[in-house]
Amino acid sequence: MSESYLKTDGEALKWHLKDAGITTVVLLLAIYFFTLTSEFADVTASTGDPGAAFWPRIVLGVMIIASTANLGIIAYRIKTNTAPSADSALADVDDESTSDTETEDNRLTYLSTIGLLLLYVGLLDTVGFVVLTPFFLIITGWNVGYRSPIKLVVFGFVTGVVLQVVFRNFFNIVLPRGAGIFRGISLFFEGLI
């Protein structure tokens, strides 16, 4: 077995089987949702419109291909008894060098990021994409450890603007505009671009 964070072949096999299990779930869900897209495949806004199923099918197709490839890689690793490469995010983890405080901090960061994402999704219809997205990106960046306020603000607002322009002008997808004053801000911004 190659050098890795895994101490035994049994640990490597357990890791591979967990990875295969998660990948299989993702693959099956992607296939299931891909089949559901046939229900709205014929919905188009105009003659040149690829239809409502176009982008979901592209994304789900990529997920199916990536999951299948990952299952092949896992099978190869099990067959050759090799651990994940040094590029793996888990390859540098050493149980003895990771303190309990560091592990707890990582868990809190993970859970708070999930909480921020759920809050973002919950507020998106009310506040709107244009107003909410830059603040979400700034707060999430700070939460995961970036501490340069100027870079975070620039990243948040530039990314929000770029996403709005790309989705509205290239994909013809209208992102949530919000309600009340937030809708007015979104419509004003859309008028500028």
Side-chain angles (χ1 to χ4, degrees), residues 20-190:
I22 293 169
T23 302
T24 301
V25 168
V26 169
L27 176 63
L28 293 175
L29 286 172
I31 291 169
Y32 172 72
F33 286 117
F34 191 90
T35 61
L36 290 181
T37 62
S38 64
E39 294 179 19
F40 55 89
D42 296 332
V43 178
T44 60
S46 64
T47 308
D49 185 13
F54 180 74
W55 286 109
R57 284 184 173 172
I58 295 291
V59 171
L60 292 166
V62 169
M63 289 175 67
I64 290 168
I65 292 167
S67 296
T68 304
N70 193 42
L71 285 174
I73 292 168
I74 294 167
Y76 173 78
R77 286 182 178 159
I78 290 172
K79 181 179 176 185
T80 61
N81 199 25
T82 57
S85 69
D87 294 334
S88 171
L90 297 175
D92 294 331
V93 173
D94 182 5
D95 293 334
E96 296 159 6
S97 68
T98 305
S99 70
D100 289 338
T101 307
E102 194 175 319
T103 302
E104 186 64 26
D105 288 347
N106 290 340
R107 284 185 189 136
L108 288 173
T109 300
Y110 175 75
L111 291 174
S112 59
T113 302
I114 297 293
L116 285 169
L117 183 60
L118 292 173
L119 184 64
Y120 174 77
V121 170
L123 291 174
L124 196 56
D125 283 337
T126 305
V127 179
F129 182 87
V130 170
V131 175
L132 188 60
T133 299
F135 295 106
F136 168 73
L137 293 172
I138 292 166
I139 293 168
T140 302
W142 188 269
N143 184 53
V144 298
Y146 295 103
R147 294 293 184 250
S148 174
I150 294 171
K151 288 180 182 177
L152 282 172
V153 168
V154 170
F155 170 75
F157 282 96
V158 169
T159 302
V161 168
V162 168
L163 289 173
Q164 176 70 18
V165 168
V166 167
F167 276 91
R168 178 142 166 71
N169 295 338
F170 295 106
F171 298 148
N172 278 336
I173 296 173
V174 178
L175 297 169
R177 292 179 172 146
I181 191 167
F182 299 118
R183 183 174 181 80
I185 293 169
S186 294
L187 292 172
F188 172 76
F189 178 74
E190 285 180 20

